[in-house]
Amino acid sequence: MLALRLTRAARLAVQLRRLLVASASAGTGFLLLCALGHALTHPDAPGASSLRLAWCAAPLAATVYLAVAVARADPGTRPRPGLSAIGLGPGRLMAVSATTTALSAALGSVAALLGFLYLRGDLTGAPVDGAVSGVLALGQRLPAPAVVTLLAVVPAAASAAVALTLRPRDPRPAPSAGSRRYGRFGAYGWGAARETFGAYGRYGARLASASASAPAPASASASAPASASASASASAPASAPASASASASAQPAGGRAAGAAAQADPSGALLTQASETRPPATTDGDGSPRDATGPAPATPRSHTTLLPWGIAVLTAGLAVETYAGDTATRDAAPSAGVLLGWALATLGLALAGPGLTHLCGRLLQAVRPGALRLLAGRVLMEESHRVGRPLGVVCAVASAAYAAAALHDADATDFGPLSLIGAVVVAGCTVATLLTAAVEAKHARTDTTDALLRLGAPPTTLRAAAALRAGALLAVFGPLTLVVAQLASLPLAR
C-alpha cells in the first residue's frame, strides 16, 4: 500500500520516467512472447527459436538498466532524517523502491500480453495479417506456464537489480588507502607520524637526556651544609619535573621517543615507561587536535582505474565479433557469437566511460585554464561516476546502430518489424538512462550552483560551462563511436 501511495503521489516527471519503464517492459515482453510464438510455429527449428530468445537479452538488459536509473533518481524513496523512527529506514525504502519498479514493469508486461493477444485475434476474433503472423502461433493454444514465466522475467529482474543497487550500505568507514606507517612494536592502529623501520630499538632512543637533568643534582649537592637538607628537599621536587618536561619536549614527537614518557623519581633520576596502547593525538594544519588512529581524510576517488580494463574488454568483444562474423555464412542471421561480441564491447565501453569522462575534465583544465574551463573540468571530474557509464552504453548502442545501417545499405537486408522494435527499445532505454543520470547529477550539484550564484557568478557562465562540458564529451565520444562502429562492421560486411 505504501508503494502504491508513493506512486500515486509522485510528481509528473517521476510518473513519466515510470511510464518509460512500463513502455520498455511492454516492448521486451512482446519480443519474448514472439520468441515463444516462433517456437510453437516452427517446432522443427529449435536453434532459430533459441537464437531469437537469446537476442531478447539486449532489450531486457536495457530495460533493467533504465529501471535502476529511474529508481535511483526517484526523490520519494531517498533516505531522510527521522524516517527510521516510523519504520522507514534504508532497508524499507529499498523494498518500497523495488516494489514500485516491479509494479511499473508488471504493468508493461500486462500491456505486452494484451497486445500479443490482440494481434493473434483472441480478443477481436480476427488475427492480423502481416510480417509478424509467423511468430504469433495462430491457431495454437498458448501454454499458460510459459507465458507467465516469460512475462515475469522483466519485473523480477528489474526489482532484483533495484534492490541490489539500493541496498543499505555498511556504515563502517573504509580502510585508509595510504601506505603502511611503521610505528613502535605493539602500537594501536596506524601511526600518524612516519617512523623509520627499527627506530624503536635504536641505541639511545629510549634514554633520557643526561645533560638536562645533571645540573639539578649538582646544584643541590653544592649547597651549604647548613641548608643542604632543606634545599635538597625543596628543590628536588621542583627541578625534577622541570627537567623531565624539558627532556620530554626535546624528543621528537612520534619519532624516536613516541612510545616513552619521561618521569622523575624523588631522587631526581629520570625514568622511562611504556606509553599507552594508542599513540598521542596529533594536530591538523589549523592546530586542532586530531586522533592519530582515526580515519584519514577522504581523498577524491579516481575513476580512471577501470579504463585499462574497459579497453581490454572492448578489444576482446571486437575480436569475438570478428571471429563470429568470419565463421558465419553470408545469408544467415547474426549468430550468438555476434551477440556475445556486442555484449563484451558494450561492457568494455561502460567500464571505460567514467575514466574517459574524468580525462575529459582533466583535459579541459590543462594549459593555464580560466574560470570557465576550470569550472567545466571540475564538474566533469566530479560527475564522471554518474554520467560516464551511461555515456559508454550510449556509445556502444550508437556504434551498433551505425554498423547495422552500414550493413543494411551494403546488402539491402530487411530487418523486419521485430528487429525495429528491439532497436527502438534498446536505443530509447539507453538515451533515457543518460538523460536520467544527467538530471540526477544536476540535482546533486544544486548546492554548488546556488553557492556560485550567491557569490555573484552570472547564469550565462553556468550555461557556457554546461555547453563546454557537452562539447568536450562529444569531441571524445563521437570519434570513439565511429571507430568502434567501423571495426565492428568490417567482419559483418564481408
Side-chain angles (χ1 to χ4, degrees):
M1 293 300 298
L2 180 60
L4 289 175
R5 290 181 179 179
L6 290 177
T7 302
R8 187 180 60 181
R11 294 179 299 178
L12 180 60
V14 178
Q15 298 287 9
L16 289 178
R17 288 196 291 263
R18 290 173 181 170
L19 183 60
L20 287 177
V21 174
S23 302
S25 177
T28 305
F30 182 78
L31 292 177
L32 291 172
L33 292 178
C34 289
L36 175 63
H38 185 274
L40 294 176
T41 307
H42 305 86
D44 53 345
S49 302
S50 301
L51 185 59
R52 284 177 175 268
L53 186 62
W55 274 100
C56 292
L60 174 62
T63 303
V64 171
Y65 195 43
L66 175 61
V68 170
V70 169
R72 289 183 57 183
D74 191 357
T77 56
R78 293 177 183 173
R80 292 182 179 87
L83 291 182
S84 299
I86 60 175
L88 291 178
R92 182 70 180 277
L93 290 178
M94 178 268 296
V96 170
S97 182
T99 305
T100 305
T101 303
L103 290 176
S104 301
L107 179 62
S109 297
V110 171
L113 178 61
L114 293 178
F116 189 77
L117 294 179
Y118 176 80
L119 294 178
R120 277 172 50 89
D122 295 338
L123 300 180
T124 60
V128 177
D129 296 333
V132 296
S133 60
V135 295
L136 296 178
L138 300 177
Q140 300 185 23
R141 185 176 181 179
L142 295 176
V147 172
V148 173
T149 301
L150 291 177
L151 292 179
V153 167
V154 180
S159 59
V162 168
L164 183 63
T165 304
L166 302 181
R167 69 187 185 277
R169 306 294 181 179
D170 193 354
R172 291 177 298 179
S176 175
S179 59
R180 178 68 168 95
R181 297 171 179 175
Y182 296 98
R184 65 190 184 281
F185 182 78
Y188 179 86
W190 301 78
R194 186 170 181 84
E195 187 171 311
T196 58
F197 182 79
Y200 181 86
R202 187 175 297 130
Y203 179 78
R206 298 298 163 183
L207 297 180
S209 175
S211 59
S213 59
S219 61
S221 61
S223 303
S227 60
S229 58
S231 62
S233 61
S235 62
S239 61
S243 61
S245 60
S247 61
S249 61
Q251 295 172 350
R256 298 179 179 177
Q263 292 182 354
D265 61 353
S267 63
L270 290 176
L271 302 177
T272 58
Q273 66 176 5
S275 65
E276 308 179 318
T277 311
R278 296 171 62 92
T282 58
T283 57
D284 291 324
D286 54 356
S288 59
R290 176 174 59 87
D291 191 5
T293 61
T299 56
R301 182 178 57 179
S302 177
H303 304 284
T304 58
T305 55
L306 293 179
L307 182 58
W309 294 99
I311 295 175
V313 175
L314 173 62
T315 306
L318 293 177
V320 169
E321 185 188 356
T322 302
Y323 177 77
D326 290 339
T327 56
T329 59
R330 186 175 183 85
D331 296 334
S335 60
V338 177
L339 175 62
L340 178 60
W342 272 116
L344 289 176
T346 304
L347 178 61
L349 288 173
L351 291 176
L356 292 176
T357 308
H358 193 273
L359 290 180
C360 284
R362 284 189 175 274
L363 291 177
L364 281 178
Q365 303 173 73
V367 193
R368 302 179 63 181
L372 183 62
R373 288 170 52 197
L374 188 62
L375 177 61
R378 289 291 182 177
V379 172
L380 270 184
M381 292 174 60
E382 184 67 24
E383 296 176 354
S384 59
H385 66 286
R386 286 192 179 96
V387 300
R389 195 161 296 166
L391 268 175
V393 177
V394 169
C395 178
V397 173
S399 302
Y402 182 86
L407 183 62
H408 174 72
D409 294 339
D411 298 341
T413 306
D414 189 9
F415 293 104
L418 297 181
S419 300
L420 292 179
I421 292 176
V424 168
V425 169
V426 172
C429 288
T430 52
V431 173
T433 302
L434 178 59
L435 295 178
T436 304
V439 171
E440 182 185 3
K442 181 181 179 181
H443 290 166
R445 66 172 186 270
T446 302
D447 297 338
T448 305
T449 304
D450 294 341
L452 289 175
L453 292 177
R454 286 195 302 268
L455 290 175
T460 55
T461 302
L462 301 180
R463 289 192 290 267
L468 185 59
R469 292 196 301 269
L473 292 177
L474 185 61
V476 172
F477 282 91
L480 178 62
T481 301
L482 294 178
V483 169
V484 174
Q486 288 291 342
L487 293 177
S489 60
L490 287 179
L492 298 177
R494 288 184 299 190

